[in-house]
Amino acid sequence: MMKGNGPPKREGKMRIRAFPANMDEKYVDTIWTLLKNAIQEIQKKNNSGLSFEELYRNAYTMVLHKRGERLYTGLKEVVTSHLENKVRQDVLQALNNNFLSTLNSSWSDHQTSMVMIRDILMYMDRVYVQQNDVDNVYNLGLSIFRDQVVRYNVIGDCLRTTLLELVARERRGEVVNRIAIRNACSMLMILGIDSRSVYEEDFERPFLQQSAEFYRLESQKFLAENSASVYIKKVEARIQEEVDRAQHYLDQSTEPRIVDVVETELIKKHMKTIVEMENSGVVHMLINQKTDDLACMYKLFSRLRDGLKTISECVSKYLREQGKGLVQEEEDSKQNEAAAATGLPCSGGTNAISFVQKLLDLKDRFDHFLKNSFGNDRIFKQVIAADFEYFLNLNPKSPEYLSLFIDDKLKKGVRGMSEQEIESVLDKAMVMFRFLQEKDVFERYYKQHLAKRLLLNKSVSDDCEKNMISKLKTECGCQFTSKLEGMFKDMTISNTYMEEMKEHLMNKGQTCVSGVDLNVRVLTTGFWPTQTVVPKCNIPTAPREAFEEFRRFYLGKHSGRQLTLQAQLGSADLNAFFYGSMRPSGKADDGASGGGIEMASTSSGTFSVVGGSKQPRKHIIQVSTYQMCVLMLFNNQDRLTYEEIASETDIPERDLIRALQSLAMGKSSQRVLLKHPKTKEIEPSNIFCVNDNFYSKLHRVKIQTVASRGETEPERKETRTKVDEDRKHEIEAAIVRVMKARKRMQHNSLVAEVTQQLKARFLPHPMVIKKRIEGLIEREYLARTPEDRKIYTYVA
Amino acid sequence: MPRGKKRVSSFVQSRLSSPPPPKKGRSTTVSRRASRNECAPEVFNQKACLKWFQEYSQNDDPNIMGPDGVEKFCSDIKVKPEDIVMLVLAWKMKAKQMAYFTQEEWLQGMTEMSCDSIEKLRYKLDSLRNLLKDSATFKSIYRYSFDFTKDKDQRSLEIETAKSMLRVLLADQWNLFPQFMKFLDESKYKVINKDQWANILEFTRYVRDDLSNYDYDGAWPVLLDEFVEWLGKDNSMNQSEV
């Protein structure tokens, strides 16, 4: 195939002889020797006397005359022998002395010479190398250098240990020749020829292994010696160090790898240990308000996939413990509840307020962490919310307490909070409200408390009240608040009635009836937490007449309506006279009250005097309507037994006991009645009489009703029953709503849908929903399909 | 409720007062069907059948067979009143009220079965019993027995009545039946409604005796959920005793 020279040409025609048409082996040898010498000169750095043009031409000639292979193998041999005999020997000699710099300088020499050689043999690169698909000249040089020098038995090991040793020394704090390492690393990268395999095998892998080993030991040492926060700072520093190292003298691609090793060894393997470290872990940081430490930990752990989960779990555990503690603390005060049940004063009110306040404080604390430590991370936000929801709903009294808390803030009080302060507290309370599952229970209590504020005129301001209602409306929709808004409307309309009533009396030439200044609130049934069965109560003559006058007036305007007196909601101001300690005498009360279609009233009246020589002390006593009824009895009689009072007034037992407790057993500055004997319980035979020695600095004495805040246990049960009853209807309504729209539905999807619809108000138990479904089947609103029991159809 | 209790002892008996419901609207269709069958007199003799009915019907209202008549009827065909076949018979006649057959019901049912004498009916009894083996027919009879048994002015079945009916229908084919009775005794249920009634049969058919395929989300009435729960407790109690 190499038949270059054909037979001699016959024609004598002038021909241009193809340049070395024919090359005999001798000539080739000559050229090759020339080239070989030149290459060796280059390797000896004696290249100044060489003619680049000539060498190039020679190489060209060889390739052109199909001597490419010869040239290529020749080159390989020359380079190999140079590296084997010269360079490797040099490096080996420097093995224990100046190894790295020797290697680096050999490497740079090799690179320089290979560039020159490549230039000379460029034609071969272009033609022979491409045709035969072999390494080009430069890469050939690289692979020979790699195999004959860098990977030549001891050299490879020595290089690796040297590099690792240097890194280790730097980690220990010594200063090392970073440039030498960088050169070595870049050499390894280049020797890989388009891949990082050489770097990886000869350096990176052992490096990572060694690092892992190093950090494994270090983590143990660190953990044993340091607190969590110090540990975290050290880890942070280490990571930064490794990043610097990778950037400065390793290959860039090593950075994520080495960081990963550090993270794994220093954090991931010890995540739980760090987080749960006693006296310094997350709990410690939370307790001691170590916001910054937590932030560091958050930053560090966010590098790892499960890192934040681990922290959040720990936070959650602590939060739940705290929350449960708060919630159960409340449970512990069961004695108070028992006391309230028997009618004794209870601290339920203050408890409710501190209960909510403590929860709000806890929320504030964790919001602070969330914002300043955890960068408002979604995971933490959710965890905190879920935890609050969890423990807030552990205590069935939470809805009541929250309403009491809001009641406390909206009540006219001595606290003197500005509207902005109230506003911000209410906003926080709304956050708690969102966590409540039983919003319907809250609504019930809120209605009760709002009614009391409105009827007893205790609201701090209408604006605040309306503001709160609009907050509830935003949260739960207008269905939730329509009745509350109705209550406000009733109040406004009642004011108009009172104006008109006054005018009406003026026209008749009166200012008041029977000396009673009557104030009536007409309450629409359904809006207010009134009782359908109105408790009986014998109202004294004077206020009763005043009320009858109003009734005539009102029914004259609205015939066909029904007006019922809700005595339990009313209050009265009484003028009272006490005749000192000189001698026992009577005292007189007068006044009036009313209650609400349903009405509540406040009134003030005159008094009567029963003898007495000394100048009497005059007081205005503010009492409930029930108490008024009791006190007025003493206008006619000096002493009465409990039984007598009960039969005269007809007040329900529980309310009467409560009324008497605050009159006779409250604070001494409010004790206008005396009880014999002075026991704690009220017995039917106990005798009550006016406390003539009553003394108070205040002209206007308000009789605090005991146990008015917070429900007693029986009341609570009653409320619960009512709530359950309401829920039945709400669940049924929801089922019918869903089924009316869907016509046909599978059991589980129906339950899910109903739960979803009612979620905003309460969380119905599936079993309860099922019972309602059965009820509806029984009443033939729904039916099971004949083919599948689990599918219901809507029966129109 | 002594009347109710008595009814329990044998479900077809008793029922001394409470008049049967003679539904007028129904009779037209019945007579139409009856007249259709008249074309086969050698198989079925309507006159004989009516005459047979009159042997049992009440003196004050010859259109109705009362409890006494039913009792006599039972003894004539040598079947105990609490025999399940009586239920099948009632179902065939589409009887509206336990212990009463109206003439229309009688005629319609006997015509369908082609029976006009004691002998013919007695001969037929086995095939009636066999009807119970067909699960669809059984289901239909089971469901029918709810309306048949309950007081007409009530929606639900009083618990004692329900229990004795269940005994007639399910005692032989449901292994958990004794436990279910015990459960009902211990529970506070006073009545069984139609949905519960229908689902008890479904439960006996689809839920294995070991409850392994019972599904809490299976839309069973709460009564049956509670039964399953009760069984769990009962078992664990038994085990702890062992």
Side-chain angles (χ1 to χ4, degrees), chain B residues 165-178:
Chain B
M165 275 313 278
L166 287 173
R167 176 160 287 119
V168 170
L169 286 159
L170 298 176
D172 298 337
Q173 49 177 304
W174 188 26
N175 294 331
L176 294 173
F177 181 78

Side-chain angles (χ1 to χ4, degrees), chain A residues 455 494 497-498 518-525 528 530 534 539 543-544 546-548 550-551 554 562-571 593-602 625:
Chain A
L455 294 179
S494 294
Y497 285 144
M498 290 329 295
L518 183 74
N519 188 9
V520 185
R521 306 273 181 220
V522 183
L523 317 177
T524 310
T525 315
W528 299 73
T530 48
V534 182
I539 305 288
R544 195 175 61 234
F547 174 61
E548 288 308 325
F550 176 78
R551 188 201 290 275
Y554 181 81
Q562 225 185 346
L563 215 48
T564 345
L565 190 74
Q566 299 272 335
Q568 80 278 14
L569 298 173
S571 67
S593 89
I597 353 224
E598 325 218 338
M599 63 155 257
S601 78
T602 45
T625 302

Side-chain angles (χ1 to χ4, degrees), chain A residues 92-105:
Chain A
L92 280 174
Q93 268 170 20
L95 219 44
N96 296 314
N97 180 26
N98 244 350
F99 167 73
L100 208 51
S101 61
T102 314
L103 183 64
N104 280 337
S105 68

Side-chain angles (χ1 to χ4, degrees), chain A residues 54-328:
Chain A
E54 187 192 359
L55 294 170
Y56 179 87
R57 186 158 32 82
N58 285 336
Y60 169 83
T61 312
M62 276 187 84
V63 175
L64 200 64
H65 288 98
K66 319 284 182 201
R67 298 297 190 278
E69 199 186 352
R70 170 115 195 246
L71 182 58
Y72 194 80
T73 16
L75 170 71
K76 209 171 175 176
E77 279 163 16
V78 176
V79 172
T80 308
S81 82
H82 171 69
L83 290 178
E84 267 180 10
N85 301 326
K86 174 73 175 66
V87 178
R88 190 202 285 165
Q89 294 312 319
D90 289 351
V91 174
L92 280 174
Q93 268 170 20
L95 219 44
N96 296 314
N97 180 26
N98 244 350
F99 167 73
L100 208 51
S101 61
T102 314
L103 183 64
N104 280 337
S105 68
S106 322
W107 163 244
S108 81
D109 289 350
H110 176 71
Q111 273 179 304
T112 320
S113 58
M114 281 315 290
V115 168
M116 285 187 210
I117 295 164
R118 179 190 65 191
D119 289 348
I120 300 165
L121 305 180
M122 197 174 288
Y123 190 75
M124 180 176 73
D125 257 354
R126 284 227 301 270
V127 179
Y128 175 82
V129 165
Q130 287 204 351
Q131 279 169 358
N132 293 278
D133 200 19
V134 289
D135 281 341
N136 63 32
V137 175
Y138 189 75
N139 287 350
L140 179 71
L142 292 181
S143 60
I144 299 171
F145 189 82
R146 177 190 68 206
D147 296 337
Q148 298 306 327
V149 181
V150 173
R151 282 185 165 176
Y152 181 76
N153 88 51
V154 283
I155 300 180
D157 296 339
C158 184
L159 174 62
R160 187 166 55 245
T161 43
T162 310
L163 288 175
L164 293 181
E165 174 61 22
L166 284 172
V167 172
R169 269 159 61 186
E170 198 185 43
R171 280 192 183 134
R172 286 199 297 270
E174 292 175 36
V175 178
V176 297
N177 184 358
R178 287 182 160 201
I179 294 167
I181 309 177
R182 184 171 63 197
N183 289 340
C185 286
S186 81
M187 171 186 78
L188 289 172
M189 274 310 281
I190 294 168
L191 288 178
I193 312 173
D194 300 334
S195 83
R196 52 197 308 281
S197 61
V198 176
Y199 174 74
E200 212 175 287
E201 285 164 29
D202 289 15
F203 172 70
E204 192 186 51
R205 205 172 293 157
F207 166 70
L208 293 178
Q209 255 167 31
Q210 185 218 30
S211 304
E213 187 58 38
F214 174 77
Y215 285 118
R216 188 163 24 238
L217 288 173
E218 179 160 278
S219 70
Q220 274 154 16
K221 206 176 116 223
F222 275 10
L223 281 174
E225 288 170 3
N226 298 303
S227 68
S229 56
V230 175
Y231 183 84
I232 280 162
K233 292 205 172 101
K234 290 206 169 171
V235 173
E236 247 187 348
R238 276 306 193 192
I239 289 177
Q240 191 50 48
E241 225 173 79
E242 292 299 336
V243 169
D244 280 353
R245 173 167 303 121
Q247 282 172 354
H248 280 109
Y249 57 87
L250 304 182
D251 189 73
Q252 294 280 348
S253 57
T254 305
E255 182 184 332
R257 291 179 171 84
I258 179 65
V259 168
D260 184 63
V261 166
V262 183
E263 282 169 358
T264 311
E265 292 302 330
L266 290 186
I267 313 173
K268 200 169 173 188
K269 288 191 175 167
H270 306 286
M271 240 165 9
K272 269 220 130 75
T273 323
I274 304 165
V275 165
E276 287 169 5
M277 232 184 231
E278 231 168 292
N279 299 323
S280 70
V282 168
V283 171
H284 174 86
M285 293 178 187
L286 289 172
I287 291 172
N288 295 296
Q289 201 77 19
K290 304 258 188 210
T291 316
D292 295 337
D293 288 350
L294 278 172
C296 284
M297 187 180 271
Y298 168 79
K299 210 175 108 208
L300 198 63
F301 276 51
S302 58
R303 295 167 156 275
L304 293 158
R305 203 152 49 86
D306 285 339
L308 294 184
K309 216 178 117 223
T310 312
I311 302 185
S312 71
E313 271 165 11
C314 185
V315 170
S316 166
K317 202 175 141 216
Y318 172 72
L319 180 54
R320 281 188 183 216
E321 260 167 35
Q322 293 290 303
K324 262 189 190 164
L326 291 183
V327 168
Q328 267 152 10

Side-chain angles (χ1 to χ4, degrees), chain A residues 445-585:
Chain A
Y445 283 111
Y446 192 81
K447 218 158 101 177
Q448 267 175 29
H449 298 143
L450 175 63
K452 248 183 212 159
R453 289 199 296 277
L454 291 178
L455 294 179
L456 302 180
N457 230 347
K458 276 182 177 166
S459 266
V460 110
S461 79
D462 268 13
D463 284 348
C464 285
E465 291 286 0
K466 286 184 177 151
N467 189 355
M468 183 63 203
I469 287 175
S470 78
K471 283 186 210 299
L472 290 171
K473 199 173 183 173
T474 331
E475 199 64 35
C476 294
C478 55
Q479 189 207 348
F480 194 85
T481 52
S482 64
K483 286 182 178 169
L484 303 178
E485 281 164 346
M487 291 163 79
F488 277 97
K489 206 184 277 166
D490 279 351
M491 294 302 286
T492 326
I493 296 173
S494 294
N495 285 339
T496 323
Y497 285 144
M498 290 329 295
E499 294 289 315
E500 286 172 0
M501 174 82 182
K502 216 173 253 170
E503 230 166 78
H504 170 76
L505 286 175
M506 291 276 271
N507 292 342
K508 284 168 74 182
Q510 290 171 295
T511 47
C512 57
V513 185
S514 315
V516 175
D517 182 6
L518 183 74
N519 188 9
V520 185
R521 306 273 181 220
V522 183
L523 317 177
T524 310
T525 315
F527 287 176
W528 299 73
T530 48
Q531 275 145 306
T532 36
V533 187
V534 182
K536 284 182 289 184
C537 174
N538 284 334
I539 305 288
T541 327
R544 195 175 61 234
E545 277 169 2
F547 174 61
E548 288 308 325
E549 180 67 32
F550 176 78
R551 188 201 290 275
R552 277 192 295 278
F553 164 77
Y554 181 81
L555 294 181
K557 287 172 74 81
H558 306 280
S559 60
R561 289 198 186 169
Q562 225 185 346
L563 215 48
T564 345
L565 190 74
Q566 299 272 335
Q568 80 278 14
L569 298 173
S571 67
D573 288 3
L574 302 172
N575 287 325
F577 289 83
F578 296 92
Y579 296 91
S581 49
M582 292 294 286
R583 66 186 190 84
S585 71

Side-chain angles (χ1 to χ4, degrees), chain A residues 425-443:
Chain A
V425 173
L426 291 183
D427 276 335
K428 284 180 183 169
M430 281 308 292
V431 175
M432 286 295 139
F433 172 75
R434 250 164 251 150
F435 296 139
L436 275 186
Q437 272 162 4
E438 299 187 301
K439 297 197 171 62
D440 55 338
V441 181
F442 174 86
E443 186 198 11

Side-chain angles (χ1 to χ4, degrees), chain B residues 112-161:
Chain B
E112 199 186 310
M113 292 181 286
S114 299
C115 294
D116 48 16
S117 64
I118 294 172
E119 290 70 32
K120 280 190 187 173
L121 185 59
R122 277 176 51 92
Y123 183 73
K124 190 91 184 169
L125 285 179
D126 278 345
S127 73
L128 287 180
R129 277 186 222 279
N130 279 335
L131 283 177
L132 293 165
K133 289 179 185 156
D134 176 65
S135 102
T137 314
F138 183 85
K139 186 167 171 174
S140 154
I141 293 173
Y142 178 90
R143 294 204 168 187
Y144 158 80
S145 60
F146 180 83
D147 291 318
F148 172 67
T149 319
K150 77 177 167 64
D151 277 329
K152 290 303 164 261
D153 49 351
Q154 304 232 313
R155 253 184 220 282
S156 308
L157 209 51
E158 196 224 328
I159 193 79
E160 289 304 326
T161 319

